[in-house]
Amino acid sequence: GAVVSQHPSRVICKSGTSVKIECRSLDFQATTMFWYRQFPKKSLMLMATSNEGSKATYEQGVEKDKFLINHASLTLSTLTVTSAHPEDSSFYICSARWGLRNEQFFGPGTRLTVL
Amino acid sequence: AQTVTQSQPEMSVQEAETVTLSCTYDTSENNYYLFWYKQPPSRQMILVIRQEAYKQQNATENRFSVNFQKAAKSFSLKISDSQLGDTAMYFCAFTAQGGSEKLVFGKGTKLTVNP
């Protein structure tokens, strides 16, 4: 149980385009999902907390107009990188909170490359 | 604010041997959870073990066990009978019970298991 999928696993796009990444909890309902960014050989950096049916809560320094988050249902959250630039190239990981112990289960990640 | 410190950027161990990864944390909370996550080269984050702060008994999961010292705010991970598949980045993480549900990660320890 507690499986989280992420799509796509890899995406290459041109500078200026927008890219949408989907995060799904496959076998449980997740009222709260999280989006992280990870640079090579670094730890995970929390970008935002996504709550079903309400606006996401962004961490300090994360541009909410650039990284649009929508949590449309209890099993789906999306992250849209708008007007992507090469500096947005990174590994993006989502997670979903499950159970009463604040345990998070992670998706397999999306490698974004902006040319 | 909570912080998690992993003081060992890299470690190595021979196959079948035992290795201990260190983690310390700082918090004023009394009720919280601690986790060890593994990130192999595939970059999928995998939960290795969890510990509830109110439990005095150290958590164990097969070859993985923790040494939880609440007063010292220490949460080390012991891997027994190390296997080649244990080669990965290991992240220690903290979350307070209730509140924002965020996970606070350490910077990680890169563990290499040598044949």
Side-chain angles (χ1 to χ4, degrees):
Chain A
V3 177
V4 177
S5 71
Q6 211 171 317
H7 178 79
S9 58
R10 285 178 179 267
V11 58
I12 301 173
C13 69
K14 293 182 179 180
S15 186
T17 61
S18 294
V19 174
K20 180 184 286 189
I21 303 170
E22 292 186 349
C23 178
R24 293 181 186 273
S25 56
L26 297 184
D27 51 0
F28 66 102
Q29 293 183 330
T31 55
T32 305
M33 291 183 172
F34 302 86
W35 286 96
Y36 297 86
R37 185 172 179 175
Q38 186 179 31
F39 293 101
K41 300 183 180 181
K42 297 292 184 182
S43 189
L44 280 68
M45 182 188 77
L46 180 65
M47 299 175 65
T49 302
S50 169
N51 296 297
E52 188 267 337
S54 65
K55 291 183 179 181
T57 303
Y58 290 82
E59 295 300 299
Q60 191 172 10
V62 178
E63 298 176 61
K64 59 184 177 183
D65 293 332
K66 180 165 189 60
F67 298 100
L68 299 178
I69 292 172
N70 183 269
H71 196 148
S73 75
L74 287 172
T75 58
L76 173 64
S77 176
T78 60
L79 168 68
T80 301
V81 183
T82 62
S83 186
H85 291 281
E87 58 265 30
D88 298 324
S89 297
S90 192
F91 192 68
Y92 293 87
I93 308 175
C94 73
S95 71
R97 178 182 172 273
W98 180 84
L100 301 176
R101 293 176 291 197
N102 290 2
E103 198 166 301
Q104 292 184 26
F105 290 88
F106 288 81
T110 297
R111 156 107 28 229
L112 170 63
T113 303
V114 184
L115 302 176
Chain B
Q2 292 88 4
T3 59
V4 176
T5 302
Q6 293 179 250
S7 59
Q8 305 150 316
E10 293 191 36
M11 292 193 72
S12 63
V13 64
Q14 291 299 122
E15 196 174 7
E17 297 292 307
T18 296
V19 65
T20 299
L21 308 184
S22 300
C23 173
T24 58
Y25 58 95
D26 189 25
T27 183
S28 58
E29 300 282 344
N30 192 47
N31 298 316
Y32 50 87
Y33 305 103
L34 294 161
F35 306 92
W36 279 97
Y37 282 91
K38 167 186 176 181
Q39 188 179 40
S42 68
R43 303 191 77 172
Q44 169 74 62
M45 293 285 285
I46 301 166
L47 177 66
V48 174
I49 199 166
R50 72 176 75 82
Q51 175 80 44
E52 291 91 339
Y54 65 86
K55 289 187 177 179
Q56 292 186 338
Q57 187 174 8
N58 289 324
T60 62
E61 288 287 343
N62 301 311
R63 298 183 295 108
F64 299 88
S65 62
V66 298
N67 183 2
F68 174 48
Q69 301 290 328
K70 190 172 184 179
K73 295 181 181 173
S74 172
F75 182 61
S76 61
L77 174 70
K78 185 172 82 171
I79 306 174
S80 304
D81 185 26
S82 296
Q83 300 176 359
L84 297 178
D86 295 334
T87 293
M89 282 289 290
Y90 286 82
F91 293 100
C92 178
F94 167 101
T95 184
Q97 186 175 347
S100 67
E101 308 169 329
K102 297 180 194 179
L103 275 176
V104 178
F105 285 94
K107 291 187 176 181
T109 296
K110 182 179 179 182
L111 176 67
T112 302
V113 180
N114 298 309

